[in-house]
Amino acid sequence: MNKQARKAALEKIIKKAEQDALIKKVAEDSDVNSAEDATSYSERVFQKLLAEIKIDGLED
Amino acid sequence: MAIKNKISKLIKKVDDFCLKALGSFLLIRRAAPGFHMPDDDTEVAESGDFASRAEQFDIKNEDLFNQFEVFMDAYNELIESLQIDPEHLDHETFENAGQLIDTLNKRYERIMSNPYLNMGENYEEDFNPGDLTKFVQEVVSDAEKKLQSVAGEDIDISEMRANQYAQEFNDNKNIDRGDQNITWTGNKVQQNLEARKEWFKKLMFIKKVGKSHPEYERYDRYITLRREGFKRFLDNLKQTNPTKWREWQNKENERVKKHFSKEENIQKKRVKDVEKAKKIRDVKQSGTLEGLITHLKQKVASKKSDVVKALKAKAGQDPFFNPYKKAIADAKTAMDANPSPATQKALEDAIRGEADALKNYLDNHPAVTKVKEDLARLYAFRDKAKQASDSGWINDEGIPNEVKPYLYQLVVEGEELDQQYKKQYKVLCDAILAITEFIKGKL
């Protein structure tokens, strides 16, 4: 594996770790045990992901 | 004043730590190369990270095992607590570090004075007790080093150690006075130590006075060095252990959040923000090239923010995500009906699926790709203009002839950008034209 490929692989790992942490955070913050119905829970998760996910190059 | 007290407190902790940690001089000597138990033959690695090396000591004795475990826990916690941006050091940080140093020291002493390590024939471990005590000592030394880098390079722990040895030499009649390892430095060390502490206090005073202090450069050099060290640490962690790095970042974010939720800090931040805004406004109104570049930068940031808002609003309405939303709703229903690790995992997987789809949608949306390409060209212009500004070529004494071609070229590039992008990015192009007009007026 050359240097560039290693760098790309590493970046992929970092992105995955970031994404994992983000999903964990959203899942925890969204309180799955709340009594609300499944549709509004799903919408709330979506809005939270939308707020948390950053667009590469525009929100760095 | 507060930071000075905190630093003084930490220095005191360092003093106490060193005095205690070096108290067991004879036991430390047991760790010297050449010390072997008669029935010991297991080789122990002497390099690598401490966590891996600690794993080598598969301790059978329960008491020693527990002592060693809690000792390593204290070390890990201490090291983690010390990896904090100097700018964010606060009372709590110092308190925590101080308590952990005490804890580490106590646990260190417990291991070093554990009679099991001197039991001779009743000793059951596969490794040399000298290797363990040597390792423990190395861990303590490493903690000292890390602590030194946080507390300030001015604290010379090796001198403290020398001083401690000197005191041991005087106080303990059991120590061999002919030992080559003992350094006799007497009061001179104490004097140096005091001088160094005073130096550090002065450094903190310079910090408190701020940039108006004639020796502010000293503090600036000191803090730059520490910030660079911290950045290196983070960069390295990001590459070697991304998960740990993310955990660390989350903790840091939590801590910063907590810091800024306090009323006094909110007030301080408000004052700083007002000062910063005033500074930016002053630069913008200064009628200089720097002011025009600042204006352009702000417009670029606004444009980016507008694009992000528009795209996220679009994504919020896009039916493309309906299947993902349904998958999450279904997983939630299943979990409500039958809460179990399996249904919980299914829900997490559904969230992950939506997160991946959303990230991909946002990052690769044609509007984002286009804006990023366009902005790259605007950034190139902005950077060149900034170089002209930072170099001080444009001043009252006239522009040097050798840089005029560079500036003419910059004007041409700015006007080309305006021609190409004025329909999509009118505000940005107006800011660019203001820069080209300014340069033309000076040429």
Side-chain angles (χ1 to χ4, degrees):
Chain A
M1 194 186 264
N2 63 27
K3 197 178 171 185
Q4 211 169 7
R6 271 204 307 277
K7 196 181 167 200
L10 190 65
E11 276 173 5
K12 211 172 159 186
I13 293 168
I14 291 168
K15 291 251 181 248
K16 190 176 175 310
E18 286 179 335
Q19 191 85 330
D20 285 349
L22 185 144
I23 289 160
K24 202 175 162 197
K25 183 176 184 296
V26 169
E28 280 170 7
D29 290 356
S30 302
D31 184 17
V32 72
N33 297 317
S34 67
E36 74 188 311
D37 68 83
T39 308
S40 49
Y41 170 80
S42 168
E43 189 56 37
R44 200 152 54 82
V45 168
F46 182 77
Q47 292 303 329
K48 206 151 184 53
L49 285 173
L50 204 53
E52 294 285 343
I53 289 175
K54 305 291 177 212
I55 303 177
D56 285 350
L58 292 184
E59 290 185 285
D60 297 337
Chain B
M1 191 65 194
I3 188 81
K4 191 177 165 189
N5 286 337
K6 287 168 198 167
I7 294 288
S8 304
K9 238 178 173 181
L10 188 55
I11 290 171
K12 190 179 176 308
K13 294 278 186 191
V14 174
D15 272 343
D16 294 342
F17 172 65
C18 289
L19 285 171
K20 287 179 185 173
L22 295 163
S24 305
F25 181 72
L26 290 172
L27 286 169
I28 293 168
R29 285 200 63 204
R30 185 178 52 196
F35 179 93
H36 290 291
M37 290 297 284
D39 59 346
D40 183 53
D41 56 5
T42 305
E43 289 292 320
V44 174
E46 294 189 355
S47 60
D49 66 280
F50 285 114
S52 315
R53 287 173 64 194
E55 290 294 319
Q56 295 180 110
F57 298 103
D58 185 15
I59 302 170
K60 293 171 188 162
N61 180 274
E62 197 182 335
D63 190 30
L64 185 64
F65 173 81
N66 290 335
Q67 286 179 347
F68 188 64
E69 286 292 301
V70 293
F71 170 78
M72 286 309 295
D73 283 349
Y75 168 76
N76 291 331
E77 255 188 83
L78 173 65
I79 296 310
E80 207 161 296
S81 80
L82 292 177
Q83 314 294 351
I84 290 175
D85 186 342
E87 235 180 16
H88 296 137
L89 285 173
D90 58 18
H91 182 73
E92 200 184 346
T93 312
F94 278 93
E95 283 293 317
N96 288 345
Q99 283 168 11
L100 284 165
I101 290 158
D102 283 345
T103 307
L104 184 71
N105 170 54
K106 278 177 194 149
R107 292 174 184 179
Y108 162 82
E109 282 187 333
R110 267 186 221 136
I111 293 175
M112 296 305 271
S113 57
N114 188 330
Y116 174 72
L117 291 169
N118 278 331
M119 280 168 75
E121 284 180 9
N122 294 324
Y123 181 81
E124 289 178 331
E125 309 299 334
D126 297 328
F127 54 82
N128 188 331
D131 286 336
L132 179 73
T133 51
K134 187 178 174 191
F135 173 75
V136 167
Q137 176 61 18
E138 280 179 38
V139 171
V140 171
S141 297
D142 186 67
E144 283 179 5
K145 265 190 223 158
K146 301 262 185 358
L147 175 65
Q148 185 170 349
S149 71
V150 170
E153 296 301 324
D154 55 296
I155 297 172
D156 190 336
I157 291 175
S158 64
E159 286 197 9
M160 291 184 186
R161 179 181 287 117
N163 184 49
Q164 176 62 20
Y165 281 170
Q167 283 183 11
E168 289 272 1
F169 190 81
N170 272 336
D171 299 343
N172 193 334
K173 288 176 183 169
N174 293 325
I175 291 176
D176 178 8
R177 287 169 190 251
D179 192 323
Q180 296 293 312
N181 295 319
I182 298 173
T183 310
W184 171 261
T185 46
N187 289 335
K188 194 178 170 191
V189 171
Q190 193 60 37
Q191 285 161 7
N192 283 338
L193 195 60
E194 290 303 323
R196 283 171 181 277
K197 278 186 188 172
E198 289 307 313
W199 181 91
F200 190 68
K201 278 182 194 168
K202 187 172 179 187
L203 196 70
M204 289 301 106
F205 176 72
I206 294 171
K207 183 194 173 193
K208 193 180 167 192
V209 172
K211 288 183 179 172
S212 59
H213 195 286
E215 293 177 76
Y216 186 78
E217 205 185 319
R218 272 174 57 186
Y219 172 74
D220 203 33
R221 273 202 305 272
Y222 164 81
I223 203 72
T224 304
L225 202 72
R226 281 179 54 187
R227 282 182 183 151
E228 282 170 358
F230 179 71
K231 192 179 174 304
R232 273 199 303 277
F233 159 76
L234 267 192
D235 290 347
N236 185 43
L237 190 65
K238 192 174 180 180
Q239 292 206 353
T240 54
N241 191 343
T243 311
K244 185 84 183 159
W245 173 79
R246 174 43 60 191
E247 277 174 19
W248 200 95
Q249 290 288 75
N250 287 344
K251 265 190 196 172
E252 172 72 359
N253 291 343
E254 278 302 311
R255 210 182 52 71
V256 171
K257 210 167 134 187
K258 194 175 164 193
H259 175 81
F260 284 111
S261 64
K262 288 178 188 164
E263 187 54 34
E264 56 173 305
N265 295 328
I266 292 171
Q267 292 297 338
K268 273 186 204 166
K269 189 174 182 307
R270 273 190 201 133
V271 172
K272 266 191 177 179
D273 286 348
V274 169
E275 282 172 2
K276 195 177 168 190
K278 185 181 177 305
K279 202 175 161 190
I280 292 173
R281 202 168 49 243
D282 288 349
V283 170
K284 277 173 69 180
Q285 292 172 351
S286 62
T288 62
L289 184 55
E290 189 190 356
L292 295 170
I293 293 167
T294 304
H295 178 67
L296 173 62
K297 272 178 166 174
Q298 286 188 329
K299 294 297 168 197
V300 169
S302 302
K303 182 70 196 172
K304 279 163 70 172
S305 172
D306 289 347
V307 171
V308 169
K309 275 185 203 157
L311 186 60
K312 286 194 171 177
K314 189 174 182 297
Q317 304 298 322
D318 201 323
F320 171 76
F321 294 104
N322 288 349
Y324 297 100
K325 289 179 184 176
K326 187 174 180 308
I328 292 175
D330 290 348
K332 156 86 168 145
T333 306
M335 197 176 152
D336 286 346
N338 175 27
S340 71
T343 51
Q344 188 174 351
K345 188 179 178 307
L347 179 61
E348 267 181 33
D349 288 347
I351 296 176
R352 182 182 302 279
E354 186 172 71
D356 288 344
L358 190 53
K359 177 77 177 150
N360 190 43
Y361 177 97
L362 295 171
D363 281 352
N364 301 310
H365 194 282
V368 172
T369 311
K370 173 80 171 62
V371 167
K372 282 201 275 194
E373 280 171 11
D374 295 345
L375 288 182
R377 290 199 60 197
L378 301 182
Y379 288 149
F381 174 83
R382 181 200 65 190
D383 293 344
K384 284 181 186 172
K386 190 168 183 312
Q387 191 188 347
S389 171
D390 292 349
S391 307
W393 293 334
I394 302 171
N395 54 44
D396 295 338
E397 292 159 17
I399 298 171
N401 283 332
E402 61 272 22
V403 301
K404 281 184 180 174
Y406 179 93
L407 296 175
Y408 279 121
Q409 180 63 29
L410 193 59
V411 169
V412 170
E413 282 178 27
E415 289 177 347
E416 280 177 1
L417 286 173
D418 176 56
Q419 286 298 316
Q420 190 176 346
Y421 293 120
K422 67 180 162 193
K423 281 185 187 162
Q424 301 112 295
Y425 310 115
K426 184 171 182 319
V427 177
L428 299 186
C429 287
D430 286 348
I432 287 172
L433 282 187
I435 292 173
T436 57
E437 288 303 314
F438 177 88
I439 295 171
K440 278 200 277 186
K442 299 286 179 183
L443 278 165

